[in-house]
Amino acid sequence: MLRLRHIQYFVTASEQGSFRKAAALLHIQESAVSRRIRDLEDRLGASLFHRHPGGVSLTVAGQRFLRRVRVALQQIELGFNDVAAIGRSEDGIIKVGIFSSLASGFLFELMKTLDDEHPRVAVELIEGNPSVHVAAVRQLQLDVAFITGTSEWPDCEREQLWSERVFAVLPTEHGLATKQTLHWDDLAGENFIVSNAAPGPEIYDYLIQRLAGLGHHPNIHPHYVGRDVLLSMVAIGRGLTLTSEATTGAQIPGIVYRPIMGEVLPFSAIWSRRNDNPACRRFLSLARILSQTDRRAVRQADAVMNPPASPSQNRDLSP
């Protein structure tokens, strides 16, 4: 059977002009080089070298064969380099299912970090609802999906990475726009609009759950529009809607964002344990590092805003 080492011995011998020098360079016995090249000549049915006391020289067949194998070896080397680059996450492509906006927040920072540290890794973003994303992850059509919630999905790995506040989107002239923070009671009786595309159906269910729990039946109108058009519809007074914190980075004339007290959405990464894409593994590693950094920043901010009481403040001042 013709093996790669037969070609290696042949090329080295042709470059050195000697089986002895080729063997020394390859750190093997001269007899091994001579035997493998003889096997190669027998396999090809043609002599590749003229043997003479001072060494060897290529025959016409050997010269032609050398030109061909050098091209083949170059392609093999390129193949090795390509695969090695993927293994080091220098190259590759990641297919990512998203549910949140990239206008700001965690996903924005994650994509920016990936582009800074691994500029040759391509990212393909796909919007969709969680169930569709998870099905695609199971079928290895998506490498990873970022969705809301902390539910476990069969045949998938899950890790919570970040959280976002929930905001009501209001026209600038709306009466509630004067408030800096809203409660669900403030929103009872309001008209809402949502998109039929993701994450519209999830927002619809979210509104039903929250407002129905207060004894209100919300008036919700779905529309076949995208997120930007929906926000513009809010601006002209067609209704209110909800969005996550990352979306508030998108400034649309005529609207304001107001956080809803106590409402926080956790976001998790979902991927398949069968996924062997090295670029995806690096991507998840970056996401974990960024998540840990964000959590430390939040704890430090909390410590600044809510410092521990001093001993004098804790002292019992009663007579």
Side-chain angles (χ1 to χ4, degrees):
M1 182 181 297
L2 185 62
R3 298 184 184 277
L4 188 60
R5 66 170 175 267
H6 291 75
I7 306 299
Q8 183 185 20
Y9 294 173
F10 163 73
V11 172
T12 304
S14 67
E15 292 173 344
Q16 298 298 315
S18 164
F19 289 170
R20 179 180 59 79
K21 293 179 180 179
L25 192 64
L26 295 170
H27 304 291
I28 58 176
Q29 296 293 321
E30 180 181 351
S31 59
V33 173
S34 177
R35 184 169 58 254
R36 295 307 181 193
I37 289 178
R38 178 64 67 187
D39 291 342
L40 180 59
E41 291 175 322
D42 290 345
R43 176 72 174 81
L44 295 173
S47 294
L48 298 174
F49 289 102
H50 296 295
R51 277 94 168 159
H52 48 78
V56 294
S57 59
L58 289 170
T59 64
V60 172
Q63 293 172 12
R64 181 174 297 183
F65 187 59
L66 180 61
R67 289 196 297 269
R68 297 288 188 179
V69 298
R70 276 181 170 160
V71 172
L73 290 174
Q74 184 180 28
Q75 292 301 312
I76 292 172
E77 183 178 5
L78 288 173
F80 275 121
N81 291 338
D82 284 347
V83 173
I86 293 173
R88 295 190 301 268
S89 304
E90 294 175 359
D91 286 329
I93 182 170
I94 311 168
K95 295 185 177 181
V96 181
I98 61 172
F99 186 76
S100 181
S101 171
L102 290 178
S104 63
F106 184 89
L107 276 183
F108 175 85
E109 293 298 329
L110 177 58
M111 296 301 175
K112 185 176 183 300
T113 301
L114 179 70
D115 187 61
D116 291 342
E117 297 189 12
H118 301 279
R120 286 159 50 188
V121 173
V123 179
E124 183 179 339
L125 300 175
I126 299 98
E127 286 192 309
N129 63 56
S131 59
V132 172
H133 280 339
V134 171
V137 166
R138 289 191 184 117
Q139 296 167 15
L140 302 183
Q141 295 172 353
L142 279 181
D143 290 302
V144 60
F146 296 109
I147 63 177
T148 56
T150 57
S151 299
E152 300 294 339
W153 296 84
D155 301 323
C156 291
E157 301 292 316
R158 182 197 65 80
E159 185 170 345
Q160 182 182 342
L161 294 174
W162 83 99
S163 297
E164 295 181 18
R165 292 181 294 169
V166 178
F167 282 71
V169 188
L170 319 166
T172 52
E173 70 276 7
H174 194 282
L176 294 174
T178 59
K179 293 191 171 187
Q180 294 305 306
T181 304
L182 301 178
H183 296 79
W184 284 113
D185 284 334
D186 297 324
L187 300 172
E190 296 286 345
N191 292 326
F192 289 90
I193 56 175
V194 298
S195 172
N196 275 294
E202 285 70 30
I203 293 175
Y204 182 98
D205 294 340
Y206 195 83
L207 283 165
I208 292 290
Q209 179 185 12
R210 292 298 189 268
L211 293 176
L214 297 175
H216 300 283
H217 184 72
N219 191 12
I220 308 172
H221 301 280
H223 294 272
Y224 289 93
V225 297
R227 190 176 330 202
D228 289 345
V229 173
L230 190 75
L231 296 181
S232 296
M233 291 176 66
V234 172
I236 63 176
R238 299 300 299 272
L240 313 185
T241 194
L242 298 183
T243 192
S244 61
E245 188 169 1
T247 307
T248 61
Q251 298 302 314
I252 305 294
I255 66 171
V256 294
Y257 303 101
R258 294 293 181 261
I260 301 176
M261 180 63 73
E263 288 297 319
V264 177
L265 283 176
F267 282 80
S268 297
I270 305 293
W271 71 97
S272 171
R273 59 178 65 92
R274 296 184 293 113
N275 190 308
D276 62 352
N277 183 351
C280 178
R281 294 178 183 175
R282 173 57 60 189
F283 184 59
L284 288 170
S285 177
L286 287 177
R288 292 187 186 100
I289 293 170
L290 183 60
S291 175
Q292 293 167 2
T293 302
D294 277 3
R295 288 170 185 171
R296 285 196 296 268
V298 169
R299 287 195 296 268
Q300 290 170 359
D302 286 343
V304 171
M305 296 299 294
N306 302 288
S310 64
S312 60
Q313 290 175 310
N314 291 329
R315 189 180 302 136
D316 185 2
L317 300 179
S318 60

